[in-house]
Amino acid sequence: MTRVLDRRIDSSKELFTGKGALQLENRLKELREAAGWSQGELARRLGVSRQTINAVETDKYDPSLPLALRMAKLFGCAVPEIFIDRWEPEI
C-alpha cells in the first residue's frame, strides 16, 4: 500500500503480467468527489457513460489516451496526477 494525499491506495493493480509489470494508482474518484460530482455528472461532462467512469474508478478499465487527456483538462491537472505510475526502468 502507498500513501497518496493522506489516503491509502492499494497499488496492486497490474496492467500486464511478468517481470516489471506496471502498477498505477488511480485518483479519479478522489478528484470527482472533491469537485462534488456524481459519476453520472462526470460522465456527462466527459461524453462517456456512467459505467465507464465506474469501471475506471474501480480499476476494471484503463481509459484511452484521449479520455485520460480530457479528464486531466477537466480537472485542471496533468494525466500523471490522475494516474500515478510508480514504475522505474531497470538499470
Side-chain angles (χ1 to χ4, degrees):
M1 300 280 251
T2 305
R3 287 187 65 83
V4 174
L5 297 178
D6 295 321
R7 182 173 68 92
R8 295 187 76 71
I9 296 176
D10 182 357
S11 60
S12 62
K13 180 185 173 211
E14 293 188 6
L15 297 179
F16 59 88
T17 59
K19 188 173 182 180
L22 295 177
Q23 297 178 343
L24 297 178
E25 296 172 9
N26 178 337
R27 295 184 52 225
L28 185 60
K29 182 177 180 179
E30 174 186 339
L31 293 168
R32 174 182 61 78
E33 289 177 343
W37 298 332
S38 66
Q39 287 182 343
E41 177 62 18
L42 177 57
R44 184 190 68 76
R45 289 171 182 258
L46 292 171
V48 299
S49 70
R50 184 199 58 77
Q51 291 83 355
T52 297
I53 299 302
N54 180 271
V56 172
E57 288 184 355
T58 58
D59 293 326
K60 294 179 180 150
Y61 172 73
D62 292 318
S64 65
L65 181 56
L67 178 54
L69 290 169
R70 279 188 271 163
M71 290 173 176
K73 189 179 286 188
L74 182 63
F75 289 113
C77 63
V79 172
E81 293 177 61
I82 301 172
F83 302 96
I84 301 164
D85 179 9
R86 303 271 184 220
W87 178 82
E88 294 292 331
E90 290 185 26
I91 298 177

